[in-house]
Amino acid sequence: EAIYKTTMTTIAPFASYYFINEERFALFGKLGVGFGFGKNTYETTAGSTTVTDEEDLSSFEVALRPGVAVHLSERFGMTATIGALGYSSTKSDDGTTENKTSNYGLYLSPSLGFGIYFKLK
């Protein structure tokens, strides 16, 4: 029997810029950068013997997401994005072997969210 577990903590600040901002509708771009760290744990059981291995993980991501926003009121709204143009990199290290994976491209990852808007005036 084998058990595989990944634990990851990510910090991902972002900024949005609204291109067309009508009274109830807006197009926007969201640029985000994420940094993560965690562990992979592998537990293998053969008979009465259990072996546990761990490796450290780290990740980096930068992505630009286009989207639309619908203002439900002056302070609240809904947002939707359909994907991202981005780059991501993941590194794992078990103490003897280091593995790196990098990806870039256009990703389809729809999302729906709610927002609270603050005026800077």
Side-chain angles (χ1 to χ4, degrees):
E1 178 182 352
I3 298 172
Y4 175 77
K5 180 180 176 184
T6 300
T7 304
M8 185 77 123
T9 301
T10 303
I11 299 168
F14 67 90
S16 297
Y17 180 80
Y18 291 82
F19 295 98
I20 299 172
N21 199 358
E22 300 294 329
E23 185 176 326
R24 308 234 355 135
F25 175 79
L27 297 177
F28 67 89
K30 182 181 350 181
L31 179 63
V33 178
F35 304 92
F37 56 92
K39 286 197 179 298
N40 275 335
T41 304
Y42 308 92
E43 188 175 287
T44 307
T45 303
S48 62
T49 305
T50 300
V51 177
T52 302
D53 292 315
E54 286 187 345
E55 63 183 8
D56 293 325
L57 292 175
S58 62
S59 67
F60 170 76
E61 175 185 286
V62 61
L64 177 62
R65 290 171 170 59
V68 296
V70 177
H71 303 288
L72 302 173
S73 71
E74 184 178 318
R75 299 275 188 227
F76 298 99
M78 291 178 54
T79 61
T81 62
I82 59 168
L85 177 61
Y87 169 81
S88 66
S89 174
T90 303
K91 182 175 87 172
S92 62
D93 187 353
D94 66 3
T96 58
T97 306
E98 183 177 281
N99 294 309
K100 293 182 181 179
T101 304
S102 297
N103 296 301
Y104 63 90
L106 181 61
Y107 307 100
L108 295 177
S109 56
S111 71
L112 182 63
F114 294 92
I116 300 172
Y117 302 105
F118 301 98
K119 294 192 177 190
L120 298 177
K121 294 180 182 181

